[in-house]
């Protein structure tokens, strides 16, 4: 979804006008045409993923729990703990997806540029397209492991093309690649869900009530976050039963709801992101906007800490509650981080904004092409690894330091590729293709087309 600002959004006809006596400086107002904080957070997220995926899928120390525990007593223990904490970084994409989707919908509807139905369908089509990209990624390109020597299926099977590059004789297809949710399928479902809910909440564009919209989005987030441990505890056995019976369509439907990285609790990330996106599009009172986001973030963090202290990891249901508690804390931190970044980048004066804009060009470039990088980074890593194996042998991945160097090498190479690609307008990227497809299907122009803005 695009995050372009509506040029009429601060006019006197705005559905949420400033109270009498309130200046424009007292309202949430973006300096630029894009939500730069969203691009930066996406960029940082995908840059972190490029490095930690190498640790997860290439470092010997991550192959089994016992091996990993041995490293916790060594000098790399703090680094390993930090890397493990970053493994849930994909949550930032669900949060940002809800934010930019709601921002675009509200801006288009409130300005009269699109009808509610048209804006909603644009979001639904966008979500379906990204959902389809998920299967292209998981079947052919995703990170993972080849079957072990004893023939056991790996917990994370590798994509067919990526696996072929690694070892042509060892590649195989596993139905887990289809039945379990992926990052892209969850992004697609979050966008679809947010679009449908906002379609209902915005159905009377001449009488938009942002307070009512915020209330419903918060309620939806509470439901999605609160149901998470119950869904995982009670519905996951249904997934296992479907999968054992070979009912792979049913497994995929249920799996997207109850698996470890399923819709619950991550749909809540999208709904709270959508609440913030509406606040930006509606030019909320700045103090109220910041206070609301801070209070919600602190409540999430406190609730998460309480869940970690109260529940027992050895109890199956308690373990699920603790997992949800970690998600609560993570989401609260995302909200606080976004609040700070909006103040530092998007709400700054034009002179400061332009300076900081230049300094963050490389990171924002990653954010603008996050989908393309995410889709292709596993295959690219395997291709680059081949000559390294020829020179240094295949045992260099036993050392964490070498793996980290490999990850940062890939990050540098992606930086150079994107910098050169930008000169051609990113023609051929997944984002470029998305713009073409969405305009063809839904007549929807995306802000991703404005790469140079």
């Amino acid at each position: 979804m695009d995050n372009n600002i509506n040029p009429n959004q601060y006019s006197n006809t705005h559905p949420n006008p400033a109270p009498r006596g309130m200046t424009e400086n007292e309202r949430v107002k973006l300096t630029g045409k894009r939500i730069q904080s969203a691009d930066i957070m996406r960029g940082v997220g995908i840059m972190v993923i490029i490095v930690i995926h190498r640790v997860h899928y290439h470092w010997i120390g991550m192959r089994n729990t016992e091996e990993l525990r041995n490293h916790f007593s060594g000098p790399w223990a703090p680094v390993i703990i930090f890397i493990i904490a970053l493994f849930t970084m994909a949550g930032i994409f669900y949060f940002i997806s809800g934010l930019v989707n709601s921002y675009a919908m509200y801006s288009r509807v409130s300005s009269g540029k699109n009808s509610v139905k048209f804006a909603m369908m644009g979001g639904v089509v966008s979500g379906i397209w990204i959902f389809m990209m998920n299967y292209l990624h998981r079947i052919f390109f995703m990170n993972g492991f080849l079957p072990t020597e004893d023939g056991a299926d790996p917990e994370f099977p590798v994509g067919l093309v990526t696996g072929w590059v690694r070892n042509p004789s060892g590649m195989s297809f596993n139905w887990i690649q289809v039945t379990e949710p992926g990052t892209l399928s969850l992004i697609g479902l979050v966008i679809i869900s947010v679009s449908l809910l906002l379609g209902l909440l915005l159905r009377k564009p001449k009488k938009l009530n942002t307070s009512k919209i915020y209330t419903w989005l918060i309620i939806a987030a509470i439901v999605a976050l609160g149901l998470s441990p119950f869904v995982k505890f009670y519905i996951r056995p249904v997934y296992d039963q479907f999968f054992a019976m070979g009912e792979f369509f049913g497994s995929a439907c249920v799996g997207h709801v109850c698996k470890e990285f399923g819709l619950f609790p991550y749909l809540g990330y999208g709904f709270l992101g959508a609440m913030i996106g509406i606040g930006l599009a509606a030019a909320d009172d700045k103090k109220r906007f910041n206070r609301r986001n801070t209070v919600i973030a602190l409540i999430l963090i406190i609730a998460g800490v309480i869940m970690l202290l109260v529940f027992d990891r050895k109890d199956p249901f308690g373990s699920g509650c603790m997992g949800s508690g970690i998600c609560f804390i993570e989401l609260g931190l995302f909200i606080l981080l976004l609040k700070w970044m909006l103040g530092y980048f998007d709400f700054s004066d034009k002179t400061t904004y332009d300076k900081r804009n230049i300094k963050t060009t490389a990171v924002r470039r990653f954010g603008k092409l996050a989908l393309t990088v995410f889709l292709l980074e596993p295959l690219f890593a395997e291709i680059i690894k081949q000559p390294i194996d020829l020179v240094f042998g295949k045992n260099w991945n036993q050392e964490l330091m070498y793996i980290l160097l490999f990850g940062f090498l890939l990050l540098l190479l992606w930086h150079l590729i994107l910098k050169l690609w930008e000169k051609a307008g990113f023609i051929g990227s997944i984002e470029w293709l998305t713009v073409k497809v969405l305009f063809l299907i839904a007549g929807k122009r995306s802000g991703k087309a404005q790469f140079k803005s």
Side-chain angles (χ1 to χ4, degrees), residues 201-219:
L201 298 177
L202 301 176
R203 63 186 181 277
K204 295 180 180 179
K206 293 183 179 180
K207 297 181 180 179
L208 292 180
N209 185 332
T210 52
S211 297
K212 181 179 178 181
I213 294 173
Y214 299 147
T215 300
W216 280 109
L217 286 171
I218 290 172
I219 291 172

Side-chain angles (χ1 to χ4, degrees), residues 301-319:
I301 292 171
I302 293 170
V305 170
I306 291 173
M307 293 174 77
L308 291 178
L309 295 174
V310 169
F311 292 98
D312 183 6
R313 184 174 290 278
K314 295 180 181 179
D315 175 65
F317 182 74
S319 177

Side-chain angles (χ1 to χ4, degrees), residues 108-184:
R108 291 169 184 272
V109 171
S110 64
S111 66
K113 185 177 180 180
N114 289 149
S115 67
V116 176
K117 182 178 180 181
F118 188 87
M120 180 185 71
M121 289 309 299
V124 171
V125 171
S126 298
I128 292 173
W129 170 255
I130 295 177
F131 187 86
M132 292 168 58
M133 288 293 101
N134 171 72
Y135 291 102
L136 175 68
H137 174 251
R138 288 185 65 83
I139 294 174
F140 296 105
F141 300 114
M142 81 171 182
N143 288 291
F145 304 110
L146 293 168
T148 54
E149 292 181 2
D150 59 4
D153 290 332
E155 184 179 358
F156 302 102
V158 70
L160 295 178
V161 178
T162 306
W164 181 83
V165 173
R166 186 183 299 176
N167 182 0
S169 63
M171 68 172 187
S172 63
F173 172 75
N174 191 309
W175 278 103
I176 292 176
Q177 292 166 251
V178 175
T179 60
E180 294 198 355
T183 299
L184 297 183

Side-chain angles (χ1 to χ4, degrees), residues 425-444:
F426 297 118
I427 294 175
S429 66
I430 303 299
E431 281 79 1
W432 177 87
L433 180 62
T434 299
V435 171
K436 302 296 182 182
V437 170
L438 294 183
F439 185 70
L440 181 66
I441 296 176
K444 176 184 179 297

Side-chain angles (χ1 to χ4, degrees), residues 141-406:
F141 300 114
M142 81 171 182
N143 288 291
F145 304 110
L146 293 168
T148 54
E149 292 181 2
D150 59 4
D153 290 332
E155 184 179 358
F156 302 102
V158 70
L160 295 178
V161 178
T162 306
W164 181 83
V165 173
R166 186 183 299 176
N167 182 0
S169 63
M171 68 172 187
S172 63
F173 172 75
N174 191 309
W175 278 103
I176 292 176
Q177 292 166 251
V178 175
T179 60
E180 294 198 355
T183 299
L184 297 183
S185 64
L186 287 193
I187 290 175
L189 290 174
V190 165
I191 292 175
I192 292 170
S193 301
V194 168
S195 298
L196 292 174
L197 180 57
L198 288 182
L200 293 173
L201 298 177
L202 301 176
R203 63 186 181 277
K204 295 180 180 179
K206 293 183 179 180
K207 297 181 180 179
L208 292 180
N209 185 332
T210 52
S211 297
K212 181 179 178 181
I213 294 173
Y214 299 147
T215 300
W216 280 109
L217 286 171
I218 290 172
I219 291 172
I222 291 173
V223 171
L225 293 167
L227 284 179
S228 177
F230 299 95
V231 167
K232 286 178 170 54
F233 184 77
Y234 290 106
I235 301 184
R236 191 170 292 178
V238 178
Y239 168 85
D240 296 333
Q241 183 179 4
F242 274 140
F243 193 86
M245 295 170 57
E247 297 286 344
F248 299 123
F249 178 77
S251 298
C253 293
V254 176
H256 274 84
V257 174
C258 68
K259 291 299 287 184
E260 192 63 33
F261 297 100
L263 268 178
F264 296 91
Y266 292 116
L267 186 56
Y269 286 46
F271 286 136
L272 288 183
M275 179 200 69
I276 297 174
I278 294 292
L280 291 172
D284 261 359
D285 168 56
K286 188 178 290 186
K287 289 184 179 179
R288 191 182 304 126
F289 176 83
N290 287 327
R291 183 170 60 247
R292 180 174 60 244
N293 295 336
T294 301
V295 169
I296 290 175
L298 293 177
I299 289 174
L300 285 168
I301 292 171
I302 293 170
V305 170
I306 291 173
M307 293 174 77
L308 291 178
L309 295 174
V310 169
F311 292 98
D312 183 6
R313 184 174 290 278
K314 295 180 181 179
D315 175 65
F317 182 74
S319 177
C321 290
M322 292 182 72
S324 296
I326 293 173
C327 289
F328 284 22
I329 296 171
E330 178 188 64
L331 179 55
L333 293 175
F334 285 161
I335 294 173
L336 293 178
L337 175 61
L338 177 66
K339 177 194 168 188
W340 175 81
M341 292 185 70
L342 286 170
Y344 188 77
F345 291 99
D346 296 283
F347 298 160
S348 60
D349 61 84
K350 192 176 188 310
T351 302
T352 305
Y353 175 87
D354 290 340
K355 289 180 180 178
R356 291 171 179 170
N357 205 27
I358 294 172
K359 291 180 180 179
T360 58
T361 299
V363 177
R364 288 185 294 105
R365 199 181 285 126
F366 274 94
K368 291 175 182 178
L369 253 70
L371 180 57
T372 297
V373 176
F374 183 82
L375 194 74
L376 298 178
E377 65 89 11
L379 176 61
F380 184 70
E382 289 299 334
I383 292 172
I384 299 301
K385 184 175 178 290
Q386 298 309 305
I388 296 177
D389 286 348
L390 290 175
V391 175
F392 297 102
K394 294 190 176 182
N395 293 326
W396 62 271
N397 61 342
Q398 294 181 7
E399 296 293 333
L400 178 58
M401 181 178 68
Y402 296 152
I403 289 295
L404 290 173
L405 289 174
F406 178 52

